[in-house]
Amino acid sequence: NAGVTQTPKFRILKIGQSMTLQCTQDMNHNYMYWYRQDPGMGLKLIYYSVGAGITDKGEVPNGYNVSRSTTEDFPLRLELAAPSQTSVYFCASRAQGAQETQYFGPGTRLLVL
Amino acid sequence: QQQVKQSPQSLIVQKGGISIINCAYENTAFDYFPWYQQFPGKGPALLIAIRPDVSEKKEGRFTISFNKSAKQFSLHIMDSQPGDSATYFCAASKGSSWGKLQFGAGTQVVVTP
């Protein structure tokens, strides 16, 4: 199993550009999450999904969108990139059930200039 | 507002010493308290987790101590090794929240040889 994979590993965007961060998991997990990590701030939840076709906002959703058309894929879309979106983005997945472990991908480092 | 407060921000410990990281929370509905370990350039990985019905959990050199009345929990790393140098995050979630984790800000641990 590859676990949770994310692409790209690193990207530089210009202000106003758009991009999609890709996330795929091969563990057949129902739950998937997108977090952003900023220095000294821990991880903040952007969006999450509890199954194909079902998504909901997390703590910091502004400027982002998601979709979940399959169990495996959970892409994160940035529209009109802003410098405040410079961060490291992590995707995670988890099996359904109480207190199951969240498995994280390797992250995507995004720089908006 | 940080729902889980973590301290210290960083610590340096000699090889063989004990590392102690503390976390405090406000929401009494939290019922799952994991600790994640993150190495540079990698995603966080679950290290150890505890539920509030126990006061301590030990796995190898890692121990969680939990104080429900004080709403605090801590991670102890015994016989710290250079390979333990990483950033550690405490987190909390409640059973009704689809596994959403509230993370602390993180503690960077450096173990000197």
Side-chain angles (χ1 to χ4, degrees), chain B residues 12-89:
Chain B
I12 300 173
V13 62
Q14 285 191 329
K15 179 182 177 181
I18 301 173
S19 304
I20 301 174
I21 306 169
N22 300 299
C23 284
Y25 64 97
E26 289 297 324
N27 191 340
T28 55
F30 287 145
D31 59 3
Y32 176 64
F33 301 90
W35 285 89
Y36 280 79
Q37 180 187 54
Q38 184 181 32
F39 294 105
K42 304 292 185 182
L46 180 68
L47 183 64
I48 186 172
I50 197 168
R51 291 178 292 178
D53 53 347
V54 297
S55 60
E56 185 174 281
K57 184 174 182 180
K58 184 176 181 179
E59 290 185 1
R61 296 184 293 106
F62 300 91
T63 299
I64 300 178
S65 297
F66 187 84
N67 186 329
K68 189 174 181 179
S69 61
K71 292 185 286 185
Q72 295 176 348
F73 58 110
S74 60
L75 177 70
H76 296 233
I77 307 174
M78 312 300 287
D79 186 26
S80 296
Q81 299 296 312
D84 297 332
S85 296
T87 300
Y88 294 82
F89 293 95

Side-chain angles (χ1 to χ4, degrees), chain B residues 8 10-15 18-19 80 107-113:
Chain B
S10 63
L11 69 91
I12 300 173
V13 62
Q14 285 191 329
K15 179 182 177 181
I18 301 173
S19 304
S80 296
T107 297
Q108 186 175 16
V109 174
V110 175
V111 181
T112 59

Side-chain angles (χ1 to χ4, degrees), chain A residues 31 33 35 37 40-45 48 50 57 59 90 94 99-106, chain B residues 1-2 9 31-32 36 38 41-44 46 51 89 97-106:
Chain A
Y31 297 175
Y33 311 86
Y35 295 90
Q37 183 178 28
M41 299 294 291
L43 290 92
K44 301 291 186 183
L45 182 66
Y48 68 102
V50 299
K57 296 177 181 178
E59 191 178 355
F90 289 100
R94 195 195 84 142
Q99 298 156 3
E100 292 286 335
T101 301
Q102 280 194 27
Y103 294 90
F104 284 79
Chain B
Q1 186 178 0
Q2 201 90 16
Q9 190 173 11
D31 59 3
Y32 176 64
Y36 280 79
Q38 184 181 32
K42 304 292 185 182
L46 180 68
R51 291 178 292 178
F89 293 95
S97 68
W98 307 110
K100 291 183 291 182
L101 291 171
Q102 294 286 340
F103 282 90

